[in-house]
Amino acid sequence: MDDQCVAQRILDHIEHGTTDLGQSIWREPVDNYRSNERMAEEVELAFRRTPTPFCPSAALLDVGSYVARDAAGTPLIAVRAQDGTVRAFRNACRHRGAQLATGSGCAKALVCPYHGWTYNLEGRLRGVPHEYGFPGLDKELNGLVPVCVTTERFGLVFITQQEPLLSDESLDHLPPLIAPEQQLLATRESEIAANWKIMLEGFLEGYHIRSTHRETFYPYGFDNLNLVEVFGRNSRVTYPFRRIAKLAETAPEDRRVEGLLTYVYHIFPNVLVTVLSHHTNVIVLEPVALDRTKVISYTLTNRGSSTPELRETVERDAEFVDQTGAAEDRAVIRAIQVGLGSGANSVFTFGLFESAIVHFHRSLDAMLEHATESAHLVRSD
Ligand code: FES
Ligand SMILES: [Fe+2]
């Protein structure tokens, strides 16, 4: 839906006291949050074998800029090469496996900190100190090991670590998420003691706004008034602010929604792009254990707004959200994680208001089932 459609649909919901509804409820087995075997399947199939956003393109602006981090348990490094394309490699030196870099930066070449083997930005091994100690070393065969596919789309760098499971059109219908002029303002990392799916679910419904965020978000937003759209395995949930109601007085073709709502895009499986009033966040949820998730968030300017005062406004907004609403969300997420051990529930029921979460679980299940079926086919061949 374009912004005008979105505005009209929200105004209709305000008028009728309604919200978008899914087609059916979903019952997710609680064991799927508690099983190491299930998580290993998710990481292997949904993370390593589908195109997964690694970082925004804005984090790799110049030739030689790199981002190194673990993705689905694999240390990776993405770097902008001489020809302007992004290459991604397994972040391990071909000598004895040390990581070439950590965090982010900009370099002319990737030099291993241990003994100084040097790789160019295309990953080729170019320098070996005292090379005569390695008789017969073929440098051409000892370049960095690339991931299966690296692409840039919608302002994001996507990495597919291993041979993809399905030919994938899942991304084709996504709208352009991040425009070239949007600048990276900050990168943050934190950890939460909860399963990655519980963390994800917290972003994908507005049914909890009044109960959880009574004093923080609810005074500005609606309780349980959301739009849900799906694109392949991905989705977008719209959270309008109360002040959007004034658009009823504006002619439909003149309606602008910036600053009047929050868009939350879910890029399957583990990335959220949240477009807020003054900034955009790319939030990556990396499972590090069954009950631990690393949260990496990249804060960018919004489209068409990069004045110097903006940084302060964004910092203030981000700080407010982090200390208030996001803190409330983290407390609930922790409580759900603790509740898993209570034995009270064998399933969690996601209702008609939680249809973006239903879509996520349905897509994840379909992917894991498809993989199991293909494995059977291969075995019976
Ligand atoms: S481990 Fe990298 S140069 Fe030795
Ligand atoms: Fe929330």
Side-chain angles (χ1 to χ4, degrees):
M1 284 191 290
D2 62 20
D3 286 355
Q4 276 72 40
C5 272
V6 163
Q8 189 57 55
R9 193 142 134 196
I10 291 167
L11 293 173
D12 291 346
H13 280 318
I14 294 172
E15 191 182 337
H16 300 112
T18 50
T19 183
D20 276 10
L21 294 176
Q23 306 271 321
S24 54
I25 64 164
W26 178 267
R27 294 196 173 86
E28 181 67 10
V30 166
D31 282 350
N32 284 352
Y33 300 86
R34 305 191 69 201
S35 150
N36 279 306
E37 199 182 18
R38 165 81 184 203
M39 189 168 119
E41 276 180 18
E42 289 167 357
V43 166
E44 178 63 28
L45 302 168
F47 284 70
R48 295 190 182 140
R49 301 181 64 176
T50 51
T52 309
F54 184 73
C55 64
S57 294
L60 298 174
L61 268 191
D62 305 312
V63 168
S65 47
Y66 64 82
V67 170
R69 68 170 178 83
D70 287 7
T74 313
L76 299 178
I77 181 163
V79 57
R80 188 156 314 268
Q82 289 294 349
D83 65 0
T85 63
V86 175
R87 315 287 174 97
F89 307 98
R90 292 167 186 277
N91 187 6
C93 176
R94 298 302 305 281
H95 176 218
R96 281 168 51 200
Q99 269 76 78
L100 296 147
T102 52
S104 59
C106 195
K108 287 199 166 60
L110 300 171
V111 183
C112 179
Y114 201 2
H115 312 92
W117 284 28
T118 300
Y119 305 83
N120 71 11
L121 302 177
E122 283 71 36
R124 297 180 115 142
L125 179 58
R126 279 301 151 94
V128 173
H130 311 294
E131 196 178 336
Y132 65 90
F134 296 88
L137 174 75
D138 184 345
K139 294 222 276 300
E140 282 307 309
L141 296 179
N142 282 279
L144 297 177
V145 177
V147 296
C148 185
V149 188
T150 309
T151 51
E152 276 187 283
R153 292 179 76 179
F154 320 109
L156 294 168
V157 174
F158 286 82
I159 288 179
T160 314
Q161 292 191 28
Q162 293 169 19
E163 196 61 41
L165 261 188
L166 310 163
S167 69
D168 199 351
E169 289 98 46
S170 180
L171 298 177
D172 289 349
H173 306 290
L174 276 174
L177 294 168
I178 297 164
E181 80 261 19
Q182 292 183 250
Q183 298 165 12
L184 182 67
L185 295 175
T187 306
R188 288 186 192 80
E189 273 191 27
S190 59
E191 245 181 52
I192 181 155
N195 182 269
W196 74 277
K197 290 179 291 185
I198 298 176
M199 183 76 190
L200 173 68
E201 288 158 358
F203 287 90
L204 295 180
E205 49 88 3
Y207 175 46
H208 71 278
I209 298 293
R210 185 171 52 191
S211 285
T212 304
H213 304 300
R214 187 176 292 276
E215 310 284 332
T216 52
F217 296 157
Y218 181 53
Y220 308 97
F222 293 92
D223 183 46
N224 205 28
L225 197 171
N226 301 97
L227 307 188
V228 177
E229 298 156 84
V230 301
F231 320 85
R233 285 188 284 271
N234 314 296
S235 63
R236 176 171 82 172
V237 182
T238 304
Y239 296 80
F241 294 125
R242 288 174 193 248
R243 56 182 185 262
I244 202 169
K246 71 176 189 225
L247 281 188
E249 293 142 34
T250 307
E253 62 278 13
D254 296 332
R255 288 174 185 159
R256 297 282 168 273
V257 298
E258 290 85 27
L260 301 178
L261 52 73
T262 300
Y263 283 135
V264 175
Y265 292 88
H266 172 219
I267 318 296
F268 184 90
N270 66 325
V271 173
L272 298 141
V273 178
T274 62
V275 184
L276 297 105
S277 299
H278 298 107
H279 65 291
T280 296
N281 283 322
V282 177
I283 302 167
V284 182
L285 308 176
E286 279 296 332
V288 287
L290 194 52
D291 58 358
R292 244 182 44 240
T293 304
K294 184 177 268 192
V295 183
I296 303 139
S297 71
Y298 300 92
T299 303
L300 300 132
T301 57
N302 276 354
R303 272 160 209 264
S305 60
S306 48
T307 57
E309 310 84 63
L310 186 78
R311 197 175 279 259
E312 252 173 60
T313 314
V314 168
E315 271 163 19
R316 226 183 15 249
D317 276 16
E319 178 75 9
F320 170 77
V321 170
D322 190 67
Q323 298 299 312
T324 59
E328 291 162 347
D329 283 322
R330 286 193 295 271
V332 171
I333 285 158
R334 277 292 301 139
I336 295 171
Q337 180 66 41
V338 170
L340 292 179
S342 70
N345 296 296
S346 56
V347 294
F348 287 148
T349 305
F350 294 95
L352 301 182
F353 309 133
E354 297 158 298
S355 62
I357 304 176
V358 171
H359 183 67
F360 160 65
H361 283 298
R362 190 174 281 137
S363 305
L364 183 60
D365 268 19
M367 178 171 277
L368 301 193
E369 265 162 39
H370 173 89
T372 314
E373 276 164 26
S374 327
H376 283 312
L377 284 178
V378 169
R379 248 178 260 138
S380 58
D381 271 355

